[in-house]
Amino acid sequence: MRNNKFFIGIIILSMMMMGAGYAAWTQGLIVNQSIDSGELMFEITAGVLSEEVVGGVAMPEPGYAEFDVSGDEVAGFSVTATDMYPGVVDTYWINAVNSSTMATKVTFDVRDLVDPDELDAEMLYVYTYTILDEDGVGTPVVNSTMSGFVAALEAEQIEPDHDVYIEISQEMPAELETHESAIFSYTAELTVHQFNAVPE
Amino acid sequence: MRRMKYITFIMIASMIAIGVGYAAWTQSIMVTQSVSAGELSVKVIGYGNPNGEMSTVPGQETNINYFDFIGDDQPPYLLQNLPCTEISLGGLNYCEIRTNGDVPYVDVGLRVPEDEDSITIFIEDAIPGMEFGYDVVMKNVGSVPVALTNPIYPAMYVGAGDDPDLANQLLEDGVIEFIYNYPSGAPDWMIARPDGNGGTIMMNVVCRINLSGNGEGGEVVLPENTSLEYEIHFIFEQDVDGNPGTEF
């Protein structure tokens, strides 16, 4: 009996000295998860490419018609052609650089004063876009209608550092009866989406 | 007689001098009890398969699992045979495994320090609508059996990052989700016994960034150019007798 007390005393004393508790042990394994998000950014510029009369003749200076592209990517661009007359061809360009960290897709919301197809019928439009890679190489895609142009470009996936270069040429045809003092106008809003989140 | 008294006195004096008493004999036995504590220790040893012991060694190739963009029509990218590169950060050496262009637009990877008791998962240029799954193989390198519950309920903390409040909000609103899985058919408790067969536990973790949240937090989305940090603690318990688990 004495010996038992002696051993228990030794054990308790040993455990007290080494600081061991009775609770079960646990260990935490730590996983640090860091997430750095990317960026969606397009840099858009626009300008006048040419103004001429049918046949490639340059518009005399000062011309009878005025053609201008103004604005910036924040405020939006305004393309105005005033005093056009049959035979005049205006061409402007828009360049959009995908400076995002991811691929993107674009959608257009065309708000019309004139239905796009009707506009295409009254005026002769040539819509050309080219997806340019990092080396500036790409194949032009040409459409004669706005709806065809929009559908084709909305299907494109634009990789980072690739450009979308657009040329839109508008001609008041000489052989069609057009309306003097008529106004043809529309607003096209371009929205950039990350490639896997394009609304239906 | 006088001589006898003298001899008796001399004998008693001698016995006193040599330390022998008259009392009944006794004997003392000293017992020295030493208690050496065991160790509960779990280390990360690799990814992708339970036998991936070498995958945290520089130069070795390993599998992470997969990466997927939610909402596109493409199959997931399988993250296989990625080399482990030794890097140095803050005076510590790490085995770093990263995709390096195997996944477009986003770079993901894992980093394990030399002491192998933590993991850093990183996603660079993350976008809404993505999912990253990784398998982690952990080994019981201690001396006592350890157990982890199934399903897993880790403790979760928001780290420093750019905006801890936002990081927490994104979690609450379900924009960022973490999902923890064992291999299918795993028991309620995953037990790893020290050494020998069954000394490892493999776990799959999925980090998902949804395009939108559960709606409870309004329009909270993952912002651009933001760094978020989360700390996940997996708590391994000492396995005790009667634990309703199965060795794995």
Side-chain angles (χ1 to χ4, degrees):
Chain A
M1 188 64 184
R2 250 184 113 117
N3 278 351
N4 284 346
K5 282 184 180 172
F6 176 71
F7 285 129
I8 290 168
I10 289 291
I11 290 169
I12 291 174
L13 185 64
S14 304
M15 294 182 78
M16 286 173 69
M17 287 176 69
M18 69 180 202
Y22 284 99
W25 293 341
T26 61
Q27 184 204 356
L29 189 75
I30 298 172
V31 173
N32 301 300
Q33 172 95 41
S34 75
I35 298 172
D36 294 328
S37 57
E39 184 177 25
L40 184 94
M41 188 167 72
F42 253 59
E43 298 169 31
I44 302 175
T45 50
V48 174
L49 186 67
S50 64
E51 185 179 22
E52 57 193 21
V53 293
V54 173
V57 179
M59 181 67 70
E61 288 289 343
Y64 307 116
E66 296 293 330
F67 184 48
D68 187 42
V69 175
S70 61
D72 55 45
E73 62 182 336
V74 177
F77 292 95
S78 177
V79 180
T80 56
T82 53
D83 293 337
M84 283 193 80
Y85 54 91
V88 171
V89 183
D90 296 330
T91 305
Y92 62 99
W93 59 268
I94 301 168
N95 194 67
V97 183
N98 182 9
S99 301
S100 311
T101 56
M102 74 210 78
T104 54
K105 289 190 170 184
V106 296
T107 56
F108 288 90
D109 176 20
V110 181
R111 299 188 288 273
D112 313 302
L113 292 178
V114 177
D115 180 86
D117 294 332
E118 191 177 327
L119 187 74
D120 294 331
E122 291 284 347
M123 297 278 285
L124 290 179
Y125 277 86
V126 178
Y127 306 90
T128 307
Y129 75 81
T130 311
I131 307 294
L132 300 167
D133 64 18
E134 295 92 335
D135 300 322
V137 177
T139 304
V141 178
V142 182
N143 268 278
S144 60
T145 63
M146 178 180 284
S147 54
F149 162 76
V150 167
L153 188 47
E154 284 186 343
E156 295 279 2
Q157 180 162 307
I158 305 151
E159 299 295 328
D161 299 324
H162 286 203
D163 290 18
V164 182
Y165 177 72
I166 299 170
E167 278 185 16
I168 297 178
S169 162
Q170 53 187 15
E171 174 188 346
M172 185 171 280
E175 65 274 19
L176 291 181
E177 181 182 348
T178 53
H179 306 281
E180 293 180 22
S181 301
I183 296 173
F184 302 97
S185 67
Y186 62 88
T187 298
E189 184 176 355
L190 179 150
T191 306
V192 182
H193 310 270
Q194 67 179 64
F195 70 102
N196 60 338
V198 181
E200 297 293 331
Chain B
M1 187 62 187
R2 198 182 167 121
R3 185 176 177 86
M4 278 301 289
K5 282 183 179 175
Y6 177 72
I7 292 170
T8 302
F9 174 77
I10 290 295
M11 286 180 67
I12 291 172
S14 302
M15 291 177 78
I16 290 172
I18 63 174
V20 177
Y22 283 103
W25 292 347
T26 60
Q27 181 182 9
S28 293
I29 302 172
M30 286 299 290
V31 176
T32 303
Q33 172 85 43
S34 105
V35 177
S36 167
E39 184 187 16
L40 193 154
S41 181
V42 180
K43 302 287 186 189
V44 179
I45 60 165
Y47 316 103
N49 64 75
N51 300 316
E53 286 86 351
M54 299 301 290
S55 57
T56 57
V57 175
Q60 294 285 333
E61 291 185 339
T62 191
N63 302 334
I64 296 180
N65 202 323
Y66 75 94
F67 181 93
D68 194 22
F69 289 112
I70 302 169
D72 71 347
D73 298 327
Q74 302 300 315
Y77 297 88
L78 298 180
L79 307 180
Q80 297 181 338
N81 303 322
L82 301 175
C84 166
T85 305
E86 189 170 20
I87 64 164
S88 187
L89 283 175
L92 270 181
N93 290 329
Y94 291 82
C95 162
E96 182 178 276
I97 298 158
R98 63 165 62 223
T99 48
N100 275 337
D102 287 4
V103 174
Y105 324 128
V106 179
D107 204 8
V108 298
L110 307 99
R111 208 176 285 140
V112 180
E114 285 172 315
D115 58 13
E116 299 175 340
D117 60 0
S118 65
I119 322 168
T120 295
I121 314 295
F122 54 86
I123 304 174
E124 296 172 357
D125 291 335
I127 64 172
M130 53 151 280
E131 189 175 292
F132 173 38
Y134 49 93
D135 292 332
V136 181
V137 182
M138 294 156 290
K139 186 175 181 66
N140 182 357
V141 295
S143 58
V144 294
V146 296
L148 194 60
T149 56
N150 178 22
I152 310 162
Y153 300 107
M156 186 119 199
Y157 307 94
V158 171
D162 287 343
D163 191 340
D165 290 340
L166 175 67
N168 194 47
Q169 191 69 50
L170 289 168
L171 267 185
E172 287 184 1
D173 292 347
V175 176
I176 293 180
E177 288 183 276
F178 291 96
I179 302 157
Y180 312 95
N181 304 302
Y182 284 126
S184 95
D188 293 342
W189 283 83
M190 296 287 281
I191 298 173
R193 307 202 183 284
D195 304 320
N197 292 332
T200 60
I201 289 179
M202 188 168 82
M203 177 172 58
N204 170 257
V205 182
V206 174
C207 174
R208 182 183 295 158
I209 305 176
N210 291 306
L211 290 167
S212 60
N214 52 26
E216 295 173 4
E219 294 300 316
V220 178
V221 295
L222 178 71
E224 298 177 27
N225 292 318
T226 302
S227 179
L228 305 171
E229 288 181 10
Y230 299 95
E231 201 168 271
I232 308 162
H233 292 215
F234 297 103
I235 308 300
F236 289 87
E237 297 180 20
Q238 171 191 347
D239 180 36
V240 294
D241 288 343
N243 206 340
T246 301
E247 187 173 293
F248 183 79

